[in-house]
Amino acid sequence: MNQLPDQELASIDAWWRAANYLTVGQIYLRDNPLLRRPLAPEQIKPRLLGHWGTSPGLSFIYAHVSRVIRESGQSAIYLTGPGHGGPALVAAGWLEGTYTEVFPDVTRDEAGMRRLFRQFSSPGGIPSHVSVTTPGSIHEGGELGYALVHAFGSVFDNPDLLTIAVVGDGEAETGPLEGSWKGISFLNPVRDGAVLPILHLNDAKISGPTVIGRKSPDEVRSLLEGHGYRVLEVTGSDLPGMHHRFAAALAECHASIMEIQRSARDHGTPAERPHWPMIILRTPKGWTGPAVVDGEQVEGTWRSHQVPLSGIRDNPDHLAQLESWLRSYRPDELFDRTGTPIAEVLAANPAGPLRMSASPHANGGLLTRDLDLPDLRRFAVTGDEFGTAVESTRRLGELLAELYRRNPDTFRLFCPDEVNSNRLGAVFDVSDRMFAERVEPGDTKISADGRVMEVLSEHNCHGWLEGYTLTGRHGLFASYQAFAMVSASQTVQHGKWLEEANHLPWRAKVPSLNILLTSTCWRNDHNGFSHQGPGLIQNVITHRGDVSRVYLPPDANSLLHVADRCLRSRSCVNLIVIDKQPQQQWLTFDEAADQVERGAAIWPWAGNDDGTGDPDVVLGCAGDVVTMETIAAAEILNQRMPQLKVRVVNVIDLMALPRRRDHPHGLTDTYFRELFTDQVDVVFSFHGFPGAIHQLVHGRPDADRFHVRGFIEQGSTTTPFDMTVRNRASRFHLVMDAINNARRTPPGASELLAWCEERLADHERHVVAELEDLPEIRNWSWTRKG
């Protein structure tokens, strides 16, 4: 093992001690940042928040990675699975000067240090996580489990990037992290960058031991070697020995990565998956902190996880121990009289954008290139296809295939083993599925050169896309609707990230997170209740309006225009919901473009409202199947009760329903009244849970007049139409609602209500006897007039 040169060792160790000092200061101090005076109780924060235990290990790794960057010129970013190690990464950004560049008030001197300490985990300050406010971060880590999956997403089609992914042993217990090790099975060293996982084992989480920390080293090594990694191990707490050993391991890993990439880029994609390196680093939890507090062992135990010393304002012994701890880093040797880090500390920093806190890859909007998007008319449904059933998502698949052709290194589709199932298989005309493991003769459209990402894990697909977009590329995550709830928490967390980033002018806008949900609740009649759930809509509409978007295109042309809008957008969570099954086509290409722009529109050809005054009732709809039921209900009313004036309003952009003050896509008050009137009752048929519409129209004129039919958790293995009947959202239910809520009751209303009840009874008998829907339901189609 080569020893670090004395000068390098001194600089790295000084930087590490400085980072540790700044970390402790952020947790505890509100004043006296450089201990120019004896520490006093009033200089301690009233609330002590933060996480010390993982922080010294994070800073240790950071210092050594910076040395590799300085020596090699390697572009790198740093993802911390133990996200609560926030003060360590804030300290790193401050020492590198990046923090002052993005927050000029936090100067790199004593005044800035005081501000740095006071703001940490304080009102009006910054969170304790490695959050959006932390320069160099694309991964908050507050919700554990996503460090590796974000890391792999960041390096796809990013050949010059090395992402360091520190995995905490507590995080290693989570399901998403357990599923993320397989990322190397989808990595191509010719065109992709590299991930260096560092499993940081300190055998403790917040209140006890970790599973992997208590396993024998042989078992841990076998587990990771089984995933395909070449494992290097560094263990200890002795100094300077740990510096020398870790520096050697890191250098060996970097050299191995460079050789894998050089060979692949010289000779082509390797026939076998490379054995990518990783490091297991074992250090004490709370390393260099208080060893014993009040007679209890702290360093190396779970007691160091958060705040090792508490009650400091009222406990003189703890105050003295804190001061001794802080002075153990010898701050007078690390900062000059102005509080600026000395030259020996600064010498450990890389220069300019090579600083991990300043990497443009961690501010991906700076690197984003607009997609080359084709003319949508190539994929549109044309006039002779109206009145026929078209698989709308198949047209989207054709569009995605063209995106692959035009954008060979900036667009990817991520889908959990469902690309063909969701009718997006046209992409395989352009690209195989990516798979770096063994490929056998019977496999189809699978190769290590593929760029369609299929893995049976919603967490991986969602997380890969997040890392991909946050570093500046574009993509789409497609899933069965019910199973988008597996990764729903990731959707929420990403939305929160984008919401906070919008308040930071130095954070450039990134490509949006685009989610396509198909195989929807209404058409999973064959799969049954487990596959019937529209819950993600409810999650997304609760995000702030500057981020959340929900689109419910009812046909292929509107889907194409929605996709185009979403792929052009920045820093949004775009949720698109449409089924894959053959469905009626309603809108011409130009009509779809206009309605997507407006958000909602009257469909005059579907109702009998002449537009000269208010109708008797409005039938509203949002969603493909419920739109079909609404049009069928309008047809029944037009034929059997033509004197009842019915208006049909279709909503594509769900966020058009709130007031403009509540969401930027909200319809103007005037246009909302044009569509829904001021006082006429609205029977609204909705794809998701009915409460969502009531939530969205809150504050609109006489919002109680909206009567919503939607999914009410009634499902089974049944027929398509029976799903609408079970959830009381069928055409017959809508007709009855229209009669019961219309402003007047024309003659024949009682007879029509009775007829609807009879038809529902006929349906119930027929579906049980014949195992399929009534012929007039099964074969129903709409012939557009006008």
Side-chain angles (χ1 to χ4, degrees):
M1 179 184 72
N2 294 328
Q3 297 283 300
L4 283 170
D6 290 345
Q7 188 174 354
E8 285 282 353
L9 173 63
S11 180
I12 289 172
D13 188 69
W15 192 98
W16 182 47
R17 285 186 287 120
N20 287 339
Y21 180 84
L22 295 169
T23 296
V24 180
Q26 289 176 79
I27 294 172
Y28 285 98
L29 299 185
R30 63 183 296 176
D31 202 359
N32 194 12
L34 286 168
L35 301 182
R36 305 292 195 199
R37 309 180 302 280
L39 199 57
E42 62 271 15
Q43 296 160 2
I44 307 300
K45 292 180 177 181
R47 299 174 70 225
L48 300 180
L49 302 169
H51 291 70
W52 163 249
T54 188
S55 293
L58 294 178
S59 297
F60 181 83
I61 296 167
Y62 198 104
H64 281 273
V65 173
S66 291
R67 175 176 179 263
V68 171
I69 293 170
R70 284 188 288 106
E71 292 193 342
S72 66
Q74 174 71 61
S75 293
I77 59 174
Y78 190 86
L79 273 59
T80 61
H84 280 288
L89 273 292
V90 170
W94 190 83
L95 288 172
E96 291 185 323
T98 315
Y99 211 92
T100 301
E101 292 167 13
V102 299
F103 298 111
D105 290 343
V106 187
T107 49
R108 200 162 55 170
D109 55 19
E110 183 174 7
M113 190 187 298
R114 180 177 181 273
R115 184 181 292 272
L116 189 80
F117 290 176
R118 288 178 63 90
Q119 72 177 15
F120 176 76
S121 208
S122 298
I126 62 172
S128 66
H129 301 166
V130 183
S131 70
V132 192
T133 59
T134 308
S137 174
I138 66 165
H139 171 83
E140 178 147 349
E143 179 175 302
L144 299 179
Y146 310 120
L148 264 185
V149 69
H150 287 160
F152 281 107
S154 73
V155 302
F156 293 145
D157 296 322
N158 212 352
D160 298 326
L161 182 65
L162 171 65
T163 297
I164 307 296
V166 183
V167 177
D169 48 358
E171 182 187 28
E173 296 179 1
T174 67
L177 197 286
E178 285 277 15
S180 298
W181 293 108
K182 66 176 69 70
I184 54 172
S185 299
F186 299 86
L187 202 63
N188 185 318
V190 173
R191 58 161 188 246
D192 298 331
V195 174
L196 178 59
I198 299 177
L199 178 58
H200 185 204
L201 296 183
N202 53 39
D203 188 29
K205 45 188 187 277
I206 192 168
S207 60
T210 59
V211 173
I212 200 166
R214 291 291 171 90
K215 286 183 178 294
S216 72
D218 287 344
E219 285 185 329
V220 178
R221 175 183 282 273
S222 295
L223 173 67
L224 297 167
E225 287 178 341
H227 283 297
Y229 292 92
R230 184 169 73 85
V231 180
L232 286 75
E233 298 184 63
V234 179
T235 302
S237 61
D238 57 302
L239 296 170
M242 281 294 287
H243 283 303
H244 292 301
R245 295 195 294 277
F246 189 72
L250 201 56
E252 183 176 346
C253 287
H254 187 250
S256 175
I257 289 168
M258 292 297 99
E259 175 56 26
I260 290 170
Q261 292 179 336
R262 184 202 60 76
S263 177
R265 292 168 191 181
D266 288 349
H267 305 294
T269 303
E272 296 182 356
R273 174 190 43 75
H275 281 76
W276 295 91
M278 67 163 292
I279 296 174
I280 298 174
L281 174 63
R282 292 181 174 89
T283 64
K285 196 173 185 77
W287 190 17
T288 74
V292 177
V293 177
D294 296 335
E296 297 274 12
Q297 182 66 33
V298 172
E299 185 183 24
T301 77
W302 57 269
R303 294 183 182 89
S304 67
H305 182 83
Q306 293 177 296
V307 181
L309 293 163
S310 59
I312 293 176
R313 286 184 158 199
D314 303 317
N315 188 324
D317 290 340
H318 283 198
L319 181 65
Q321 198 168 1
L322 172 62
E323 183 167 359
S324 176
W325 177 16
L326 284 162
R327 293 191 186 279
S328 73
Y329 299 116
R330 307 192 298 279
D332 53 316
E333 299 178 8
L334 303 173
F335 307 98
D336 67 17
R337 60 180 182 82
T338 70
T340 301
I342 64 169
E344 187 174 54
V345 172
L346 297 179
N349 292 329
L354 288 180
R355 297 168 294 172
M356 288 187 284
S357 61
S359 172
H361 295 282
N363 194 0
L366 298 174
L367 303 176
T368 298
R369 306 195 310 267
D370 289 343
L371 283 173
D372 180 5
L373 289 157
D375 182 355
L376 299 180
R377 290 184 186 274
R378 292 175 49 186
F379 317 103
V381 168
T382 55
D384 58 354
E385 293 175 287
F386 287 99
T388 64
V390 171
E391 294 171 327
S392 298
T393 55
R394 197 172 295 279
R395 301 301 175 97
L396 176 63
E398 296 168 6
L399 169 61
L400 298 182
E402 187 61 21
L403 288 180
Y404 266 96
R405 292 187 186 96
R406 291 167 173 253
N407 306 274
D409 58 1
T410 56
F411 176 82
R412 289 202 190 193
L413 171 64
F414 302 83
C415 186
D417 195 35
E418 298 155 357
V419 172
N420 276 327
S421 174
N422 285 327
R423 313 298 193 262
L424 304 176
V427 294
F428 296 129
D429 294 338
V430 185
S431 172
D432 290 341
R433 300 173 179 87
M434 200 292 153
F435 197 54
E437 299 292 349
R438 183 180 71 256
V439 177
E440 298 183 348
D443 295 334
T444 58
K445 296 296 182 179
I446 295 175
S447 73
D449 291 315
R451 294 182 59 255
V452 178
M453 308 303 288
E454 267 197 353
V455 61
L456 196 51
S457 165
E458 287 81 6
H459 287 126
N460 272 345
C461 291
H462 196 297
W464 285 344
L465 177 58
E466 290 177 64
Y468 198 69
T469 58
L470 287 169
T471 48
R473 278 71 49 72
H474 307 258
L476 176 73
F477 165 50
S479 175
Y480 281 15
Q481 183 182 33
F483 305 119
M485 295 305 291
V486 172
S487 54
S489 185
Q490 289 178 280
T491 309
V492 170
Q493 292 293 322
H494 191 77
K496 290 177 182 290
W497 177 280
L498 296 177
E499 287 168 2
E500 291 303 299
N502 283 338
H503 301 301
L504 299 172
W506 54 272
R507 283 277 184 189
K509 299 282 190 180
V510 295
S512 293
L513 183 78
N514 300 310
I515 303 174
L516 172 69
L517 301 187
T518 183
S519 300
T520 64
C521 59
W522 298 100
R523 291 307 311 270
N524 252 296
D525 43 272
H526 58 296
N527 277 323
F529 199 32
S530 64
H531 286 55
Q532 296 160 356
L536 192 64
I537 294 174
Q538 206 79 23
N539 287 353
V540 174
I541 66 173
T542 59
H543 289 189
R544 293 179 195 160
D546 55 350
V547 169
S548 61
R549 308 285 185 267
V550 180
Y551 298 98
L552 295 161
D555 63 3
N557 286 340
S558 56
L559 173 61
L560 292 171
H561 285 290
V562 164
D564 183 80
R565 167 181 275 210
C566 293
L567 291 165
R568 294 178 190 275
S569 69
R570 295 290 184 271
S571 292
C572 292
V573 173
N574 294 314
L575 180 60
I576 309 168
V577 185
I578 186 170
D579 197 71
K580 67 183 182 182
Q581 299 292 350
Q583 54 190 201
Q584 297 281 319
Q585 301 296 305
W586 315 106
L587 298 173
T588 67
F589 183 82
D590 292 333
E591 286 172 340
D594 179 69
Q595 186 174 332
V596 169
E597 180 64 28
R598 289 173 175 265
I602 297 172
W603 287 5
W605 42 267
N608 61 1
D609 171 33
D610 58 14
T612 59
D614 284 350
D616 294 314
V617 70
V618 175
L619 298 183
C621 51
D624 47 12
V625 168
V626 294
T627 292
M628 179 178 69
E629 291 305 301
T630 298
I631 302 304
E635 181 182 66
I636 292 169
L637 289 166
N638 292 342
Q639 291 174 350
R640 294 178 171 272
M641 192 175 287
Q643 64 272 42
L644 187 74
K645 297 302 179 183
V646 177
R647 175 181 298 175
V648 174
V649 176
N650 180 261
V651 177
I652 291 177
D653 183 349
L654 195 63
M655 307 316 291
L657 292 176
R659 297 171 298 183
R660 182 68 60 87
R661 75 183 77 166
D662 298 325
H663 195 284
H665 283 202
L667 301 176
T668 65
D669 292 343
T670 299
Y671 189 49
F672 188 89
R673 290 196 300 268
E674 285 181 22
L675 297 179
F676 295 107
T677 78
D678 285 317
Q679 56 187 358
V680 172
D681 279 29
V682 180
V683 175
F684 200 100
S685 187
F686 177 50
H687 176 93
F689 297 119
I693 300 301
H694 293 296
Q695 175 182 339
L696 294 171
V697 300
H698 176 75
R700 291 294 192 178
D702 191 14
D704 287 345
R705 64 197 168 95
F706 279 76
H707 311 280
V708 187
R709 295 289 184 176
F711 187 78
I712 55 174
E713 288 292 347
Q714 296 297 315
S716 180
T717 301
T718 185
T719 66
F721 184 68
D722 193 53
M723 279 296 298
T724 68
V725 173
R726 285 172 177 265
N727 287 277
R728 303 185 63 78
S730 75
R731 60 197 66 183
F732 303 122
H733 290 97
L734 298 178
V735 169
M736 291 189 287
D737 275 358
I739 293 171
N740 291 331
N741 291 285
R743 293 200 301 174
R744 61 191 181 90
T745 306
S750 296
E751 290 81 354
L752 184 51
L753 288 171
W755 179 83
C756 288
E757 295 285 5
E758 290 170 4
R759 301 312 292 143
L760 288 170
D762 289 344
H763 158 77
E764 185 174 355
R765 288 189 293 268
H766 182 89
V767 76
V768 172
E770 304 299 332
L771 311 181
E772 61 180 355
D773 289 321
L774 289 160
E776 59 266 38
I777 299 293
R778 194 170 66 250
N779 301 322
W780 181 88
S781 65
W782 170 259
T783 302
R784 180 167 170 176
K785 307 174 184 64

